[in-house]
Amino acid sequence: MAQQIPIQGETIRLGQLLKLAGVVDSGSEVKALLASEPALVNGERETRRGRQLHRGDVVRVGEQELRVT
């Protein structure tokens, strides 16, 4: 089951979401993580930490699954 991550605005960047969810602690860690293990956003491979996410998007990195709410 996906962990629900509430956001304040309309969108959030992938890197910000991963920090908010506690997957990483800093932006540099996001870059290293995505270089070694690309994320899946709604089932599609994503390597850009600046990818804009909207409510309802599902992000999977390794065993972690996050849903933007």
Side-chain angles (χ1 to χ4, degrees), residues 9-34:
E10 292 295 313
T11 64
I12 189 170
R13 290 192 171 119
L14 177 57
Q16 293 171 322
L17 179 77
L18 295 175
K19 288 190 287 185
L20 184 63
V23 175
V24 295
D25 293 323
S26 70
S28 61
E29 287 182 30
V30 171
K31 188 174 183 177
L33 174 68
L34 294 178

Side-chain angles (χ1 to χ4, degrees), residues 6-65:
I7 62 171
Q8 296 295 320
E10 292 295 313
T11 64
I12 189 170
R13 290 192 171 119
L14 177 57
Q16 293 171 322
L17 179 77
L18 295 175
K19 288 190 287 185
L20 184 63
V23 175
V24 295
D25 293 323
S26 70
S28 61
E29 287 182 30
V30 171
K31 188 174 183 177
L33 174 68
L34 294 178
S36 66
E37 184 171 357
L40 294 178
V41 177
N42 300 327
E44 296 180 12
R45 184 179 171 173
E46 184 59 68
T47 58
R48 299 171 296 159
R49 66 182 179 179
R51 162 80 185 258
Q52 293 288 322
L53 304 172
H54 301 85
R55 286 182 182 86
D57 285 345
V58 176
V59 175
R60 182 174 200 85
V61 178
E63 297 300 314
Q64 298 246 354
E65 188 171 86

